[in-house]
Amino acid sequence: MLIDDLAELRFDNRFSDSLPADPQRMNLTRPVEGASFSWVRPKGMAAPKLVAHSAEVAALLGLSDKAVASARFTAVFAGSEVLPGMAPFAMCYGGHQFGHWAGQLGDGRAINLGQAIATDGKPWYLQLKGAGPTPYSRTADGLAVLRSSVREFLCSEAMFHLGVPTTRALSLVTTGEEVMRDMFYDGNPQWEKGAVVCRVSRSFTRFGSFELPASRGDNELLKKLADHTITECFAELVPASGVIDAGVYAAWFAEVANRTADLMVHWGRVGFVHGVMNTDNMSILGETIDYGPYGWLEDYDPDWTPNTTDAGGRRYAFGKQSQIGIWNLVRLAHALHPLVGDTAPLQAAIDGYGARYSAGWRAMMATKLGLEELRDDADLELVQDLLRLMSGHETDMTLLFRELARVPLAEVATLDPLVHLAAFEAAWHGTEEGAEEPTDEHRAACLAWMQRYAARLATEPDLSGEGADLRRRARMDAVNPRFVLRNYLAQVAIDAADEGDNSKVLELLDTLRRPYDEQPGREHLAQRRPEWARSRPGCSMLSCSS
Ligand code: AMP
Ligand code: MG
């Protein structure tokens, strides 16, 4: 049964019902100790308008089309109306930012409305981002601009459909209010349209949520939050006795490490760069969370980061994400140490991360090439040589893997550059004016690689004989997307939305629901980045300003 009126949504606010609240109710920036959250109401917006919603998230919550189309929906998800059963609050957490302990951070512009019981019977947080200041806003305004809200809304849904663990997004509204932002922190502040995204997850608890009480020696709060998190989201780890002891905490940490490793493998598979992997942006569920200056790898370049704030150190570049995963887990291990009481199991879990990531990465790269597994060092070399070739000349990662699946390689003796370089040709930059062409040597090296790849495919159990190329294509197409949220596509949609035309946001949203399908008529959303977007702000360079 779908709900037509939002007032029928049922809430079970287990987080705020069971964890200690900040007794101070005034909405003033302050340190908050001994509490997991502060009560705070969204400020309410002047003239909210619904830009887009996710049909899948609405269905998860049991909301009908009528509910979504109602004025109440827009009002609630702009923070202008608080429903009965909701109990809005902001979470308290800390974090390590760019390698340094930053102390208390908290939800500076996120307000949890409450935990709605969804159609799966479980409580899902509904969280507004950009709905006004909270006790954790520090010197900032608690608001969000349309540009960053479009990016969060589209990307979280795109990631979900790609099969990457992520927080979800129910809705995107403009607020009718303007927000002042200095996009590149260069002394050029501008008024921008304000917006609010409603994010949805089973938990918004971060690594930094545990680090903060641990840093204050507040082991009582640390334990309460850990027990709550385990009971609510890792129930399978709770023994029949119901007693959560040191062994359970250790097993839980190992599970978080595994999930984090798996997430890094996924990001590597689709070419996602988070951009700000601070410990306050690491979900305890192993979901992608806090979409800020993220970017999609276009030219394959492990050293690339979209985040201009990180351009110097490149701490959060594509190729460093798995190592940063460990770095962050070590911070979490330190925080959980008082509960585990022993470093050995924590260390074992960290070591387990390394093993799980390498095995996961190898398995993932094998599937990207249509192979059952990387069997030996020669297979690993085949993959590494391909990656080297991809960095040797600007090569679009998404297009290359998608097109590799389309090159006929079954029972081919001698390769023909016209046919067998097609995947590279499609992915290379260099056909546009002003861009550099691949050299003859590079072409020859790519063809030689294709020859090795063909030879390897011939040894694959079910990739010979009739239909082998089609079978390989089907396999590869299931893991190599045709459509990702290319940086410039998001920017083009944002520019239109800024002018009041939401059609491009909606077109992207719809296309990204089926990223692994060919979608005739939507080829323009699968194109290599055009030259004009190379150095345009928003297309390849982003800052934390949002
Ligand atoms: P981020 O790097 O976006 O994850 O943000 C780091 C911290 O700054 C978090 O505590 C955010 O809630 C806070 N923050 C970021 N932007 C704003 C803003 N406009 N208003 C208030 N707090 C913010
Ligand atoms: Mg954050």
Side-chain angles (χ1 to χ4, degrees), residues 56-361:
E56 292 81 7
V57 180
L60 169 69
L61 295 169
L63 302 178
S64 71
D65 290 348
K66 191 174 165 200
V68 172
S70 68
R72 176 166 265 171
F73 184 90
T74 304
V76 167
F77 296 113
S80 293
E81 183 183 340
V82 174
L83 297 172
M86 288 179 167
F89 67 90
M91 280 188 200
C92 182
Y93 53 80
H96 276 83
Q97 298 187 314
F98 296 94
H100 304 282
W101 176 241
Q104 177 183 307
L105 296 165
D107 286 333
R109 54 157 163 190
I111 297 179
N112 297 280
L113 295 173
Q115 292 172 266
I117 301 299
T119 48
D120 62 359
K122 295 186 173 140
W124 290 72
Y125 290 82
L126 305 182
Q127 183 188 82
L128 303 184
K129 186 165 174 181
T134 77
Y136 308 96
S137 296
R138 295 173 290 162
T139 55
D141 55 13
L143 303 174
V145 293
L146 181 58
R147 129 180 89 78
S148 63
S149 305
V150 167
R151 286 170 48 82
E152 169 129 23
F153 175 78
L154 285 179
C155 201
S156 41
E157 289 307 283
M159 292 286 262
F160 170 77
H161 293 292
L162 283 164
V164 182
T166 179
T167 59
R168 306 294 302 274
L170 170 65
S171 57
L172 167 65
V173 300
T174 48
T175 61
E177 300 185 14
E178 301 228 299
V179 177
M180 178 79 91
R181 285 290 181 273
D182 184 354
M183 183 154 57
F184 283 102
Y185 305 119
D186 59 0
N188 285 305
Q190 308 265 336
W191 287 108
E192 297 188 46
K193 280 189 180 159
V196 176
V197 169
C198 177
R199 307 198 289 191
V200 177
S201 176
R202 288 275 292 120
S203 173
F204 283 104
T205 300
R206 300 129 194 278
F207 288 12
S209 307
F210 302 95
E211 287 182 277
L212 186 60
S215 75
R216 293 165 167 171
D218 188 348
N219 290 347
E220 193 188 325
L221 183 60
L222 176 69
K223 180 172 164 32
K224 278 186 189 154
L225 181 63
D227 289 359
H228 177 81
T229 306
I230 294 169
T231 316
E232 287 297 312
C233 297
F234 297 83
E236 65 285 0
L237 299 178
V238 182
S241 66
V243 179
I244 299 179
D245 61 10
V248 175
Y249 294 122
W252 167 52
F253 177 71
E255 173 64 17
V256 175
N258 282 347
R259 291 190 190 190
T260 306
D262 295 350
L263 184 65
M264 296 307 114
V265 173
H266 273 296
W267 288 359
R269 173 174 64 87
V270 299
F272 177 79
V273 190
H274 183 284
V276 208
M277 288 178 70
N278 293 333
T279 56
D280 53 302
N281 291 337
M282 297 294 292
S283 149
I284 201 70
L285 298 185
E287 294 182 339
T288 314
I289 188 174
D290 275 14
Y291 291 87
Y294 68 80
W296 292 83
L297 204 59
E298 291 178 302
D299 312 326
Y300 180 79
D301 174 5
D303 213 28
W304 184 69
T305 173
N307 184 358
T308 52
T309 317
D310 189 28
R314 300 192 176 269
R315 179 180 172 84
Y316 298 140
F318 178 72
K320 296 221 189 97
Q321 298 187 120
S322 66
Q323 285 159 258
I324 293 293
I326 299 206
W327 196 92
N328 289 337
L329 282 161
V330 171
R331 305 277 84 68
L332 179 62
H334 276 287
L336 300 183
H337 183 258
L339 303 177
V340 178
D342 183 6
T343 49
L346 296 168
Q347 186 60 51
I350 301 276
D351 297 342
Y353 171 101
R356 186 165 176 118
Y357 176 79
S358 330
W361 185 86

